[in-house]
Amino acid sequence: MTSLRIENHRLVADPGHPFEIIDRCEEVRDRRGAKPPIHSSLLVVHYAVTHSLDATYAAQAARGYYAHFSIDGYHDSERSRFRLIQQVPLDTYASHAGESSWRGREGCNWFSIGIEIANPGPLIRGSDGKLRTVYSKEWPEEDAEEHPVPPGYPRSWTHWAEYSPEELSIVSTLALALKAGGYVREAVGHSEIAPGRKFDPGPAFPMS
């Protein structure tokens, strides 16, 4: 896949890159006002508990809390699709991590870049035998994975929505661009910086 790069704290793509990149940094800035700079070193991966990029962005806009990026990837009848929204410049504080800590440092928003993946995360088996998201949307069995319930997780969370190859490709490509640009040194899941409070990206995501 052709490389991504960063210019002026914004993600850009080489000609011919398959990503659709949407820059909403100015729109988000106008909504939330000025935010202070950050000195990032950590990449935090989230699931958005949504099933589409537009829904992911809308959910953040409704709360007024934004990650730096929202992403979605899928395969339609013709080809793979890769979509990405940048919501906050990479030198600016974003409010994606909440109460959190990592390696003795509190408040991960101050030193992290956040990625929200358009993935619903946990799925619940209903009395009718069907899988549904936590917001009661039916989910196809073939797009789900069964995992043992990790300690401390809700006991009904026996299945998880699969991450598409396209979603995983976006995450890895973006992570490499951020590392090459000097923005991050390591990557973690939201559950690692807020254990017991958050569960994303969940056992279906190959964090390693």
Side-chain angles (χ1 to χ4, degrees), residues 119-151:
N119 181 283
L123 304 171
I124 300 168
R125 179 81 69 188
S127 58
D128 59 359
K130 295 180 179 180
L131 290 174
R132 290 179 173 84
T133 70
V134 294
Y135 290 112
S136 301
K137 175 182 172 59
E138 286 189 20
W139 196 258
E141 196 82 28
E142 61 270 21
D143 292 335
E145 297 180 9
E146 185 174 6
H147 290 273
V149 179

Side-chain angles (χ1 to χ4, degrees), residues 38-42 98-112 185-186 193:
I38 62 168
H39 301 285
S40 55
S41 61
L42 190 66
E99 184 178 345
S100 53
S101 65
W102 184 246
R103 301 193 188 282
R105 300 173 69 187
E106 301 292 327
C108 294
N109 283 329
W110 292 105
F111 57 92
S112 68
R185 292 194 296 270
E186 58 183 331
I193 62 172

